[in-house]
Every structure is written in C-alpha cells, then in structure tokens.
Amino acid sequence: ANTFSKPPRAAFFVLASPVGPMVRVSKVQPESIAAELGITPGTELLAVDGRALDDFLDWEFLTADDAFELEAKLPDGEHVVFE
C-alpha cells in the first residue's frame, strides 16, 4: 500500500463524477498525488476509511482529515487500497 497525506484538494483530482455507489475519476492533474499513485481517468473511488462514496460530496466530507485510506478500482479492474 502507498502512504500519503492529503494535499490541497487541487493537487489530488481535477474532475470526478458520481456513478452509483462510487465516484469515477474523469481527469487527473499532472504531477499530482493521484498521478503519482497511478490513479488515471476511469478509476473508481469506492470508499474512504471504509465508508462507501455515493457522490462527490461524500469525497469532500470523508477526505477532510490530513490522512485517510482510499479504496479504488483501477480501469484495468485491479482493486487497490492506498493508506
């Protein structure tokens, strides 16, 4: 698992949209933490600290802490957890 502390919001993702019980990344800012972790457009953000993401507001609320665990599904189908 990769370890990271939360950067300013603009440094993580640029655009994401809710799709069912997760948030799908539509654009990643170059040279951001997300890009360094290997998160690409199409990545599904499933949960933060074990709590499911239903929409982008959940993302904003659940990532308010400086550090968090992120469960995601990459576009190739691989499930990953970033701590």
Side-chain angles (χ1 to χ4, degrees):
N2 294 304
T3 302
F4 67 96
S5 292
K6 185 177 160 198
R9 290 198 192 285
F12 206 85
F13 300 111
V14 176
L15 295 173
S17 57
V19 182
M22 55 86 179
V23 174
R24 181 172 291 135
V25 175
S26 55
K27 186 173 181 180
V28 177
Q29 182 176 341
E31 300 181 23
S32 66
I33 297 292
E36 290 176 20
L37 292 173
I39 295 173
T40 60
T43 297
E44 298 174 0
L45 308 179
L46 305 173
V48 172
D49 292 334
R51 295 180 61 186
L53 294 172
D54 290 325
D55 56 35
F56 197 72
L57 290 176
D58 284 346
W59 168 259
E60 291 288 311
F61 177 74
L62 295 172
T63 61
D65 292 334
D66 288 337
F68 53 87
E69 180 180 279
L70 173 63
E71 180 183 347
K73 181 177 159 187
L74 301 178
D76 66 5
E78 178 184 3
H79 278 81
V80 293
V81 175
F82 301 104
E83 298 177 338

